Amino acid sequence: MLDAPVYALILENPYRYSIMLRVLDPPPEGWHEIPYLDPESVERRSRYSPTPMDEGYPMDPAGVPRKLRWESKKPLPDVVMASSVNIVSDDIRSTSESFEPGVHQFLPAETYRQKDPTPLAHYHWLIACRRIDGVERSLTTWRQGLGEFWERAGEDSRLVLSLKAIGAAHLWRDPYLLGYLFCSNALANALAARPHLGWDFMPFEAA
């Protein structure tokens, strides 16, 4: 059983060799130009992120790719990734929705094998649509550097998250911790029960 209060979900290849998920209909203007669903609600956009899809804002479904090719004979894990964005199975979508119904986007991503026109599986781009500035500054010894992003200040520096700021959230992005997808202890344990998950769990201190 996982016992840390907060985890970051980190992609983990369940196989021993490199596998590839190819996007068959990439965005014509590039990944960084995929449109937000409500551009006026965007308070902070990172020029350092590969795509706005991992910044915690809802995206315009019309601008998101819908076709992927799984270039392996192995079974699809529950979680794969393309352009730094998590792509999850319907079971992972259901698990997440059972904790926070209607909060996050799960945009369709049909997955195919090479030369097979029939979809192999119905997957979803996971767009976490909750943003929390969740660092407990009074206890944290990391520093804020370029772009105000938190970074290690030394080998023994400490990053502590705020339970008060996180509240009852189960899945979120932090606008000042680039690249991390955070989840609660409860959601982490529900996900960890899945075989061939495709995520590892990085524990974080919280107070």
Side-chain angles (χ1 to χ4, degrees):
M1 182 174 179
L2 301 172
D3 56 8
V6 175
Y7 290 87
L9 298 170
I10 307 298
L11 188 73
E12 179 184 54
N13 184 349
Y15 305 119
R16 293 186 177 181
Y17 61 90
S18 177
I19 50 180
M20 181 177 291
L21 187 71
R22 188 180 300 278
V23 178
L24 299 179
D25 56 341
E29 302 300 323
W31 287 95
H32 204 65
E33 299 304 322
I34 292 178
Y36 298 101
L37 184 63
D38 181 10
E40 294 185 1
S41 71
V42 176
E43 298 176 352
R44 172 183 168 83
R45 179 173 182 179
S46 169
R47 60 178 175 167
Y48 306 104
S49 176
T51 169
M53 293 171 72
D54 65 0
E55 293 180 358
Y57 292 109
M59 306 307 297
D60 182 350
V64 175
R66 299 175 64 95
K67 294 182 179 180
L68 310 168
R69 187 168 68 213
W70 176 241
E71 299 190 339
S72 171
K73 294 181 180 179
K74 293 285 189 180
L76 267 166
D78 276 319
V79 181
V80 288
M81 183 177 280
S83 192
S84 84
V85 184
N86 291 284
I87 303 165
V88 302
S89 68
D90 202 52
D91 286 339
I92 297 300
R93 179 196 62 77
S94 297
T95 299
S96 177
E97 287 276 81
S98 71
F99 283 85
E100 293 182 318
V103 173
H104 309 290
Q105 282 183 313
F106 294 88
L107 303 180
E110 300 287 3
T111 306
Y112 300 83
R113 287 200 192 276
Q114 193 167 6
K115 299 180 180 179
D116 188 346
T118 304
L120 169 66
H122 303 291
Y123 271 53
H124 312 268
W125 296 97
L126 168 54
I127 313 296
C129 297
R130 191 191 298 277
R131 289 163 57 88
I132 298 174
D133 181 1
V135 173
E136 178 52 69
R137 286 163 170 78
S138 65
L139 299 175
T140 290
T141 57
W142 282 27
R143 65 188 176 204
Q144 285 186 281
L146 191 66
E148 298 184 73
F149 292 113
W150 289 99
E151 57 186 30
R152 291 183 183 274
E155 185 176 339
D156 297 324
S157 59
R158 183 184 181 199
L159 176 67
V160 183
L161 302 183
S162 168
L163 293 175
K164 181 178 179 181
I166 294 166
H170 288 286
L171 190 69
W172 69 95
R173 297 278 187 180
D174 189 309
Y176 300 100
L177 284 165
L178 186 65
Y180 289 103
L181 176 61
F182 292 101
C183 75
S184 67
N185 173 278
L187 179 54
N189 275 283
L191 293 170
R194 299 283 307 168
H196 306 296
L197 175 64
W199 267 328
D200 196 8
F201 302 90
M202 178 186 292
F204 278 82
E205 186 180 357

